[in-house]
C-alpha cells in the first residue's frame, strides 16, 4: 500500500531528477567504497597476438600527418570502450616499417617509449635525436616536440606509455603539429646529446625514488638497457629477494622521470609475496617467462607481453628463470596527492582461474 509519504518521496525524486540534482544518500555506497574499485580489470595482451596484427598494419596503413602514429592501444575491457590500458594510463604497441617516419608533433600528455624489438629508429626530442635499441627507455615529456625516424630497413616495435587519461580527466589536452619546414625536426649532426650531458649522474633508485616530487621532467631523454640491467645485476648480487626493482630517476632531482609517470625495471627470480598498492600500472615483459597472480587469476607471460594491474589489485609475480619486466605507473601523482598506500599480504593467493588471451579463445571457437 502506498502511503502519502511514499508518494511525496517519489515526487521529490522525480522533481530532483528533472532539475539535474542528485541526492547523495542514494549513491553514497557507490561513491565511498571501502577500498578502491577501479573500472579497469587485470588483463594481458600477448606479443603473439599483437605482433602479427602490427605487421598487417605496417603493410596496410601508412603513417601520415593526421593519423600521426601506427599505434595499437591496449584497450582494457573494463573501461567501456575507452582506449586506455588502465584508468589513468595509456599503453600501446607502436611499430614502424623500414625507412618510415612518423611526423613531429607535441602535446600536453607526456609519454615514454620502452623498446621491444628492432634497430634503426631514433626519436628526436626537442632537437635531440635519441637512438633506440631494445630495452632502452626514451622520454618525450609534455609539450616536447617529438618524431620517430626509422633509418634502417627493418621493422621496429616499442611500448608507448602516456599519462593521457589523467591529462584528459584534468581537461588539459593540447596538441600541435610541427610547423615545419618539413614534417620532421632537422636531424642534428650529433645524436644523443642528453646522454652525453648527463652521463655521470645517478639515474636509478633502488626500489622507488624517495626524493622530493618534482613538477619538472628528467632532462636525460634516454636510459640505456645496459645501465638498467647493470643496476638489476648489482641488486641481484647483494640480495636473495625474489623480486628486485629499480626506478628510473631524474639525474638532477632524484625524482621520478616525469611528474605524472614512474618507470621501473624488475628482475623476478622466484615468487614474490602479493602486494597491493593504490595507483594503476602496466607491466611490459622484456625477457624471460613467468606468471603473475592478480586477484586470484593467473597470467602466464613471456617476452613482449603486456599486462594491466589496476589500483589495489593484489599482485604476486613468479619466474623460474631470471625474468625482466618494465613497469609504468602513475605513482608520482598518488604520492604528490598523499594518496599512495601499499600493503604486502602475508601469503600467496589461491589461484581461482587462469587467464586465456583473446586470440587463444578465438581459436577455440573456430
Ligand atoms: C603519441 O604522440 C605517440 O608520439 C604515441 O609516438 C602514442 C598515443 C596517444 C596520443 C599521442 C608518439 C600516442 C601519442
Amino acid at each position: 500500500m502506498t502511503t502519502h509519504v511514499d508518494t511525496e518521496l517519489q515526487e521529490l525524486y522525480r522533481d530532483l531528477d528533472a532539475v539535474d540534482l542528485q541526492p547523495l544518500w542514494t549513491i553514497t555506497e557507490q561513491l565511498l567504497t571501502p577500498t578502491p574499485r577501479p573500472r579497469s580489470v587485470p588483463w594481458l595482451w600477448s606479443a603473439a597476438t599483437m605482433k602479427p596484427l602490427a605487421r598487417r598494419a605496417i603493410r596496410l596503413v601508412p603513417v601520415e600527418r593526421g593519423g600521426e602514429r601506427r599505434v595499437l592501444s591496449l584497450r582494457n575491457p573494463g573501461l567501456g570502450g575507452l582506449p586506455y590500458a588502465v584508468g589513468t594510463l595509456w599503453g600501446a604497441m607502436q611499430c614502424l616499417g623500414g625507412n618510415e617516419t612518423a611526423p613531429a608533433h607535441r602535446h600536453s600528455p607526456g609519454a615514454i617509449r620502452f623498446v621491444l624489438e628492432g634497430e634503426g629508429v631514433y626519436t628526436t626530442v626537442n632537437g635531440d635525436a635519441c637512438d633506440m635499441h631494445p630495452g632502452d627507455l626514451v622520454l618525450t615529456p609534455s609539450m616536447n616536440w617529438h618524431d620517430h625516424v626509422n633509418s634502417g630497413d627493418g621493422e621496429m616495435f616499442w611500448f608507448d606509455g602516456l599519462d593521457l587519461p589523467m591529462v584528459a580527466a584534468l581537461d588539459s589536452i593540447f596538441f600541435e603539429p610541427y610547423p615545419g619546414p618539413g614534417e620532421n625536426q632537422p636531424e642534428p649532426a650529433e645524436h644523443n646529446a642528453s646522454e652525453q650531458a648527463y652521463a655521470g649522474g645517478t639515474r636509478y633508485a633502488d626500489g622507488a625514488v624517495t626524493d622530493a616530487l618534482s613538477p619538472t621532467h628528467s632532462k636525460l631523454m634516454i636510459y640505456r638497457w645496459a645501465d638498467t640491467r647493470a643496476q638489476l645485476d648489482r641488486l641481484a648480487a647483494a640480495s636473495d629477494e625474489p623480486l628486485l626493482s629499480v626506478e628510473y630517476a631524474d639525474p638532477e632531482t632524484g625524482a621520478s622521470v616525469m611528474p605524472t609517470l614512474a618507470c621501473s625495471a624488475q628482475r623476478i627470480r622466484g615468487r614474490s609475496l602479493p602486494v597491493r598498492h593504490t595507483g594503476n600500472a602496466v607491466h611490459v615483459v622484456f625477457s624471460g617467462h613467468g606468471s603473475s597472480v592478480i586477484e586470484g587469476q593467473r597470467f602466464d607471460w613471456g617476452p613482449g607481453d603486456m599486462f594491466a594491474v589496476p589500483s589495489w589489485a593484489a599482485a604476486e609475480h613468479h619466474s623460474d628463470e631470471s625474468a625482466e619486466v618494465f613497469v609504468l605507473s602513475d605513482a608520482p601523482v598518488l604520492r604528490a596527492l598523499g594518496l599512495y598506500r601499499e600493503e604486502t599480504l602475508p601469503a600467496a593467493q589461491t589461484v581461482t582461474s587462469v587467464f586465456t588471451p583473446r586470440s587463444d579463445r578465438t581459436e577455440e571457437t573456430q
Side-chain angles (χ1 to χ4, degrees):
M1 204 176 74
T2 315
T3 64
H4 183 58
V5 175
D6 281 342
T7 312
E8 277 197 25
L9 193 54
Q10 276 166 16
E11 282 168 7
L12 171 64
Y13 286 138
R14 191 199 55 214
D15 293 348
L16 285 167
D17 189 59
V19 295
D20 308 304
L21 290 168
Q22 174 71 48
L24 168 64
W25 60 89
T26 63
I27 55 168
T28 308
E29 285 177 15
Q30 252 167 277
L31 294 177
L32 296 169
T33 56
T35 54
R37 299 246 179 98
R39 290 210 298 138
S40 65
V41 292
W43 203 257
L44 181 142
W45 296 262
S46 74
T49 305
M50 289 187 284
K51 267 177 48 186
L53 293 167
R55 288 205 168 101
R56 279 163 64 187
I58 290 176
R59 197 160 49 79
L60 297 172
V61 186
V63 184
E64 287 170 339
R65 179 64 81 206
E68 303 290 307
R69 298 293 185 261
R70 193 188 288 112
V71 164
L72 304 177
S73 100
L74 310 178
R75 195 183 66 201
N76 191 296
L79 293 176
L82 283 172
Y84 304 155
V86 282
T88 50
L89 299 170
W90 175 286
M93 177 186 267
Q94 179 163 176
C95 54
L96 271 184
N99 303 298
E100 285 187 318
T101 62
H105 64 210
R106 65 178 183 178
H107 39 68
S108 50
I112 61 93
R113 332 274 159 200
F114 181 76
V115 182
L116 293 168
E117 204 183 309
E119 294 290 345
V121 173
Y122 59 89
T123 290
T124 307
V125 190
N126 269 3
D128 180 12
C130 303
D131 294 320
M132 294 160 76
H133 307 287
D136 292 348
L137 171 69
V138 182
L139 309 185
T140 60
S142 177
M143 292 322 275
N144 279 235
W145 296 110
H146 56 283
D147 53 50
H148 313 294
V149 176
N150 190 348
S151 57
D153 295 330
E155 58 201 4
M156 205 156 166
F157 301 92
W158 62 87
F159 168 76
D160 284 315
L162 287 91
D163 59 12
L164 188 148
M166 291 187 258
V167 178
L170 295 167
D171 290 327
S172 302
I173 299 280
F174 292 88
F175 173 86
E176 289 173 52
Y178 184 63
E183 288 200 339
N184 294 88
Q185 299 171 79
E187 185 181 358
E190 298 283 334
H191 285 204
N192 309 308
S194 76
E195 189 179 15
Q196 310 296 326
Y198 292 95
T202 307
R203 289 156 290 150
Y204 299 87
D206 294 352
V209 302
T210 50
D211 293 274
L213 291 148
S214 170
T216 63
H217 58 78
S218 169
K219 292 185 196 67
L220 174 62
M221 294 304 169
I222 184 139
Y223 293 71
R224 297 291 173 200
W225 179 247
D227 296 325
T228 310
R229 182 169 268 171
Q231 295 294 322
L232 292 171
D233 287 344
R234 183 180 53 78
L235 282 189
S239 156
D240 295 329
E241 292 292 319
L243 190 152
L244 305 160
S245 182
V246 294
E247 183 176 342
Y248 300 77
D250 177 336
E252 286 189 322
T253 63
S256 300
V257 292
M258 288 205 207
T260 47
L261 299 174
C263 296
S264 300
Q266 295 184 342
R267 166 104 28 109
I268 304 161
R269 38 159 202 188
R271 181 179 299 282
S272 69
L273 279 174
V275 173
R276 59 168 158 234
H277 56 75
T278 50
N280 296 300
V282 183
H283 294 231
V284 180
V285 182
F286 183 63
S287 76
H289 297 80
S291 63
S292 297
V293 183
I294 310 170
E295 290 295 310
Q297 193 175 13
R298 199 184 82 211
F299 294 77
D300 297 325
W301 43 253
D305 292 352
M306 305 176 186
F307 60 96
V309 182
S311 183
W312 210 242
E316 68 201 65
H317 308 288
H318 170 257
S319 176
D320 290 326
E321 304 170 17
S322 184
E324 291 163 317
V325 179
F326 173 84
V327 183
L328 174 72
S329 85
D330 53 13
V333 178
L334 282 286
R335 290 188 201 279
L337 302 179
L339 295 170
Y340 190 77
R341 270 206 220 190
E342 187 180 299
E343 200 171 278
T344 301
L345 306 182
Q349 301 171 74
T350 306
V351 177
T352 51
S353 65
V354 177
F355 180 84
T356 315
R358 278 270 207 242
S359 55
D360 299 0
R361 291 178 213 181
T362 319
E363 277 161 30
E364 276 163 21
T365 55
Q366 268 170 1

